Amino acid sequence: TPSHTPVDFFKSPDVGDENFTRTTVDQTTSTWPRAAIDGQENVHIIYNTNASTNSDPAQNFMCYRRSTDKGKTWEAEKIFTNTAFDGSYPLGGGGDSYAIAARDNNVVVLYGEYPNSRALYRKSTDNGVTWSGPRLAFNVVYSGVDTLLYDADSIRITTDTVLASGEQFEVIIDSEGAAHFVFSLT
């Protein structure tokens, strides 16, 4: 899957085979795709789409598509952020602030939320047919505001910085179907 519009899916008949077939997944303003394959060999792709010409994160949508025939055709797009398909619409963080994993019948998408700096996820237990609403993976905790960092010889340094989820995300699913998240903190 290349990183710029259009989002295309490439596959070869076997490992090491250089005869790739190409299928276009999305031709809008989509960029930065991530892909995963579940236990039924369904292909799941997430990507970013910008609904306007400006760089406002509120205009970035994290989208999802699924292929049940190994990438030959693709189902309709579902938008997981902003004006989401299920009425839950936390703002997305924009390009590259998400990850996807699939194992057996489980598919999990982890993504950052703007401007709240939270990490949210959605999970499907039926190979991407239905999805949970957004669930909290990490919430900003403001207990560190004005915390003493260093105090020696009458030098005192405090911070008003709040720990928040960053823009690097990864998710894996273990053999029990539980999702495990890794993301940077800023």
Side-chain angles (χ1 to χ4, degrees):
T1 55
S3 62
H4 297 287
T5 305
V7 171
D8 288 338
F9 179 75
F10 294 84
K11 79 173 191 175
S12 65
D14 200 0
V15 175
D17 191 326
E18 296 181 10
N19 297 312
F20 287 90
T21 57
R22 174 182 177 173
T23 309
T24 297
V25 178
D26 188 78
Q27 296 188 77
T28 61
T29 59
S30 52
T31 54
W32 301 298
R34 303 285 181 269
I37 298 175
D38 66 27
Q40 302 298 317
E41 296 190 5
N42 297 313
V43 182
H44 307 271
I45 288 184
I46 55 173
Y47 52 89
N48 182 75
T49 294
N50 191 309
S52 71
T53 56
N54 64 35
S55 60
D56 178 7
Q59 298 300 316
N60 285 308
F61 303 104
M62 191 199 57
C63 303
Y64 165 84
R65 286 186 189 258
R66 179 177 82 141
S67 172
T68 58
D69 56 10
K70 301 180 182 180
K72 293 178 186 171
T73 60
W74 295 89
E75 294 177 356
E77 177 178 87
K78 291 182 179 180
I79 300 173
F80 279 7
T81 60
N82 300 11
T83 55
F85 71 97
D86 65 357
S88 303
Y89 50 92
L91 294 177
D96 256 356
S97 60
Y98 42 75
I100 187 169
R103 185 171 185 166
D104 301 326
N105 296 328
N106 298 302
V107 186
V108 176
V109 174
L110 173 68
Y111 55 95
E113 180 191 23
Y114 174 86
N116 298 323
S117 299
R118 301 184 308 173
L120 303 170
Y121 72 98
R122 291 177 183 261
K123 184 174 183 179
S124 171
T125 57
D126 56 9
N127 303 91
V129 175
T130 60
W131 289 87
S132 69
R135 296 178 181 168
L136 192 62
F138 176 82
N139 196 12
V140 176
V141 179
Y142 292 98
S143 62
V145 177
D146 295 327
T147 300
L148 175 66
L149 293 178
Y150 180 76
D151 193 1
D153 300 324
S154 73
I155 298 171
R156 183 179 177 119
I157 301 171
T158 59
T159 180
D160 62 354
T161 303
V162 176
L163 196 60
S165 64
E167 294 183 358
Q168 293 80 37
F169 292 83
E170 189 58 67
V171 58
I172 60 170
I173 302 171
D174 67 21
S175 61
E176 306 286 318
H180 301 270
F181 308 121
V182 177
F183 47 88
S184 64
L185 292 177
T186 304

